[in-house]
């Protein structure tokens, strides 16, 4: 099922700035039992994105109603929610009074998510780097060529690729955030220069705090990953994936990662 | 007039990767006397962009035929030609055999271009920085949020804003390339880390060579601009715009800039 501004549609006008410039944002939500999970957190990030891009977020009640329609059609699936700055004339200059476009697309869950959650995944280090721009860091905007080019570096031999910034700091996976375990603590890359501040990343930090586990956001290098007691990836759809193998090197899966998986599952009926 | 894959259309399927990720390229062409100007140069840049993004460029003859149809409908106007990686399933991973989408849109010329060409323009320095990524530098891809945010910093009080990279090097305008005159030579920012390698920029370098004028590509700082004998902007639509005023400081327009304008005009019947 697909909705554009509340109406069933499968197309978008060519003059939409989402197409012209990637001038918009998106959220990927897990639908469980006919409801979009963690709606408020996704809505908050979307609003923050709109604020950063400088246009008014769509009405929350309207979005929630439309998300509910998709969720009813895909009760155990995925909702991709895009909001663009809407149509506009030629040129980069944003319209003075934009009419943002709401695009909601429902789809089935990808395969094998729970297998990788149990068995762990193989990850690689991408050659493609993430560029740094504090103005765009953290938000989930539609300029995703770096992720596309990174993901084109391999086929099925890995489940995810890790991306570094121009200075060699590890930032995230192409579609996931990253944590490592060191001395019983969690560390995750800080995202003030690039990267997407994931909803599941935030949930894991909250869960860790509730479990009395210290979790720090910091600069991390490849050395830190290979020396870690454990490494895991997260996003809304995969939950937590332990990394079993990084560039051919086997990594252990600490008990702490299994406990975090359990806590995350407990929150998701 | 608008064509999508050769058919009159005003919309694009939602699953097109141009919308989903900005996974594509564009060219803006001036149409003169019913023909797209400098077609071969634009085609070459588009092909280079496709090569860098990793998909096959559309057939040149097909593109030329479609551009001709737009040009016939807008004999003294603008052609925006977009090529995306085409439709695809969910996820960043590019389809193994993509079917690129061709989008051609004709529109009238913007107002006042020739007035600014004669009188010179007012320019500002944007706060928004350009991020650096050699993998994307030079090509005219669809990830244009930095330009959108830069252009949203002012209304009508300037005709263009100049953008710096994260290290404070001047790169280009939001929609134009930049040259300065120093000791009778031309200097233009090198574009190996970010920026768009403009067609008119390349033409000006060729013209300068033909006139025996040295033209260098190098790193430039704000100091260099304010100390220059003259400064000008260029793109396919504006031709050459002398900068009369940069952040309130008046700049001279050297005779060399007028001669380059004449030479550029001579090539464009």
């Amino acid at each position: 099922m697909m909705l554009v501004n509340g109406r069933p549609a499968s197309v978008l006008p060519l003059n939409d700035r989402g197409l012209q410039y990637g001038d918009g944002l998106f959220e990927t939500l897990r639908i469980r039992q006919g409801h979009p999970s963690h709606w408020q957190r996704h809505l908050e990030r979307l609003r923050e994105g709109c604020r950063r891009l400088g246009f008014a977020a769509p009405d929350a009640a309207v979005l929630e109603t439309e998300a509910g329609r998709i969720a009813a059609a895909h009760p155990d699936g995925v909702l991709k929610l895009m909001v663009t700055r809407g149509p506009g004339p030629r040129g980069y200059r944003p319209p003075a009074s934009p009419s943002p476009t709401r695009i909601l697309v429902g789809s089935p869950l990808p395969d094998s998510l729970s297998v990788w959650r149990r068995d762990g995944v193989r990850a690689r280090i991408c050659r493609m780097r993430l560029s740094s721009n504090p103005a765009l860091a953290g938000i989930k905007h539609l300029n995703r060529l770096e992720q596309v080019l990174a993901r084109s570096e391999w086929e099925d031999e890995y489940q995810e690729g890790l991306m570094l910034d121009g200075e060699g700091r590890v930032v995230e996976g192409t579609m996931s955030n990253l944590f490592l375990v060191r001395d019983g603590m969690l560390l995750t890359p800080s995202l003030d220069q690039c990267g997407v501040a994931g909803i599941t990343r935030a949930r894991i930090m909250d869960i860790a705090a509730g479990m009395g586990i210290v979790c720090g956001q910091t600069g991390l290098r490849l050395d830190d990953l290979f020396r870690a007691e454990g490494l895991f990836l997260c996003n809304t759809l995969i939950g937590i994936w332990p990394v079993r193998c990084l560039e051919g090197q086997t990594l252990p899966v600490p008990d702490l990662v299994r406990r975090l998986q359990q806590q995350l599952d407990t929150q998701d009926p």
Side-chain angles (χ1 to χ4, degrees), chain A:
Chain A
M1 187 186 194
M2 299 186 273
L3 297 173
V4 175
N5 292 333
R7 294 192 195 143
S10 60
V11 293
L12 185 74
L14 293 179
N15 68 343
D16 196 281
R17 295 174 59 96
L19 167 67
Q20 296 284 331
Y21 309 121
D23 190 5
L25 302 151
F26 72 107
E27 294 288 331
T28 303
L29 294 95
R30 176 76 156 90
I31 306 171
R32 284 192 179 82
Q33 301 179 0
H35 295 281
S37 286
H38 308 288
W39 173 255
Q40 280 303 324
R41 285 191 191 250
H42 286 281
L43 184 66
E44 283 307 313
R45 181 172 61 181
L46 183 68
R47 284 170 155 169
E48 166 67 7
C50 289
R51 192 188 66 72
R52 297 262 293 278
L53 298 191
F55 62 90
D59 183 82
V62 170
L63 279 179
E64 192 167 3
T65 300
E66 292 170 3
R69 290 167 63 191
I70 300 284
H74 302 269
D76 186 39
V78 181
L79 163 61
K80 182 165 180 177
L81 163 59
M82 301 169 73
V83 174
T84 80
R85 203 186 301 263
R90 246 186 47 75
Y92 293 127
R93 184 178 184 174
S97 304
S99 302
T101 304
R102 308 182 302 280
I103 303 167
L104 290 88
V105 177
S107 49
L109 272 188
D111 293 333
S112 309
L113 292 179
S114 60
V115 175
W116 303 124
R117 208 173 291 150
R118 184 193 65 205
D119 296 348
V121 298
R122 295 169 57 85
R124 72 191 300 278
I125 312 295
C126 296
R127 291 184 301 274
M128 176 63 47
R129 298 294 181 102
L130 288 166
S131 60
S132 295
N133 191 336
L136 297 174
I139 63 176
K140 210 165 162 85
H141 56 71
L142 290 176
N143 280 197
R144 292 294 156 201
L145 264 176
E146 290 172 335
Q147 283 75 18
V148 168
L149 293 181
R151 184 57 190 84
S152 71
E153 292 179 12
W154 79 95
E155 305 282 337
D156 293 312
E157 59 274 35
Y158 303 96
Q159 283 72 53
E160 178 61 305
L162 305 185
M163 300 185 72
L164 315 184
D165 68 12
E167 272 79 52
R169 288 179 293 248
V170 183
V171 181
E172 60 190 5
T174 64
M175 57 154 190
S176 61
N177 289 120
L178 172 77
F179 285 83
L180 63 78
V181 182
R182 183 199 285 169
D183 302 329
M185 296 187 315
L186 293 180
L187 291 174
T188 189
S190 47
L191 303 176
D192 52 337
Q193 297 297 312
C194 53
V196 176
I199 299 301
T200 307
R201 176 178 180 270
R203 289 178 59 209
I204 289 169
M205 290 194 283
D206 289 351
I207 287 170
M211 294 166 73
I213 299 163
V214 175
C215 178
Q217 300 182 55
T218 182
L220 292 173
R221 306 229 154 224
L222 283 179
D223 272 4
D224 297 308
L225 306 195
F226 286 109
R227 286 185 204 146
E229 292 153 33
L231 202 60
F232 63 90
L233 306 169
C234 65
N235 78 22
T236 297
L237 300 185
I238 68 182
I240 288 176
W241 276 357
V243 178
R244 269 284 185 200
C245 183
L246 178 61
E247 288 281 340
Q249 181 178 320
T250 304
L251 296 174
V253 180
D255 179 61
L256 171 54
V257 176
R258 296 303 183 190
R259 285 193 290 140
L260 288 168
Q261 283 184 322
Q262 280 169 6
Q263 286 297 312
L264 204 65
D265 286 347
T266 306
Q267 290 186 357
D268 289 320

